[in-house]
Amino acid sequence: MQVISRVAELTELLDTFRRSGRRIGVVPTMGALHEGHLSLVDRAAELTDLVVATIFVNPTQFAPTEDLATYPRTFAEDCTMLEKRRVDIVFCPQDTEIYPPGFSTFVEPPEVARSWEGRSRPTHFRGVATVVLKLLNMTRADVGVFGQKDFQQATVIRRMMFDLNHPCEIVVAPIVREADGLAMSSRNRYLSPEERIKAAGIRRSLLKARRAITTTASITGTEVTKIIRDELLISQIGEIDYAVAVDPDTLEPQTKIQLPVVLLVAARVGSTRLIDNEWIKADA
Ligand code: AMP
């Protein structure tokens, strides 16, 4: 496994591999890795010949009020974890390598970036879309693997790729969870032991809503929202940002539930903001 921090070195090395006909997979991350990230690396290794994992805490996707300065940085542990999987290159650039002096071009994200996370974090997807497009251009990867954990992010990226005729294939891999169902997240480490117990209520709320949807002939979006909210309140999760049933492509709320549907939740547990989702496909 090679660790590279310069764009020029990365592109040169990848050009050599590409010329020998090997397919390149990229997994963009912000580090503080867990099994969720590693599952994306494993998927990339199944689909391609050479896997690049990127570790870059992207400043443009954080608002000034957010946790950029305190975002967990565990580079040595990340490399140890990646080394045990089939990763060929770790790309870990400095901020100035990605945003050199005078940098001023940004992606205007698609419509699907406006709602939900976009409403709570108005500049977030502009930063995400810009850095993802840059990483895909630098690597000229054949496949980019992203997690369903950030459902809206994956939707924004898929739409951006379509709208901009980008040739890289986007693969969305399932959510990896802790034993009690909490979706793995780099931010889970901020939770106190009591908050950690409460946080498992998010998954319970989504499963309760899934059961209601798959067993009730006709159910409304409002009813689904109430099921999720009620379960979150039972788990003493009071600060709910949104709990909603949406169309998987447009992310528009569904008034009357029709499969496929995605349930999206964002809630604060203590001072930690957590997101999760449940994708109920047409054959559920
Ligand atoms: P992050 O480092 O949080 O920006 O995440 C990097 C990638 O890992 C994104 O595509 C996330 O959706 C994905 N990811 C984060 N948590 C999980 C998880 N629990 N299961 C699967 N993928 C995840």
Side-chain angles (χ1 to χ4, degrees), residues 6 8 23 42 46 64 71 96 108 117 124 129 152 157-158 176 186 194 221 229 239-240 242 244 258 278:
R6 307 303 296 257
R23 275 163 62 79
D42 293 346
E46 282 166 16
Y71 194 83
T96 50
E108 170 75 25
E117 286 304 285
H124 175 66
Q152 188 174 13
I157 291 166
R158 285 197 294 122
V176 177
S186 306
E194 299 76 46
R229 282 186 173 267
E239 251 191 275
I240 303 161
Y242 56 80
V244 70
Q258 271 181 320
E278 180 71 10

Side-chain angles (χ1 to χ4, degrees), residues 107 109 113 115 117-118 121-130 152-153 156:
V107 174
S115 52
E117 286 304 285
R121 310 177 70 190
T123 57
H124 175 66
F125 286 123
R126 178 184 191 251
V128 170
T130 303
Q152 188 174 13
Q153 170 174 286
V156 167

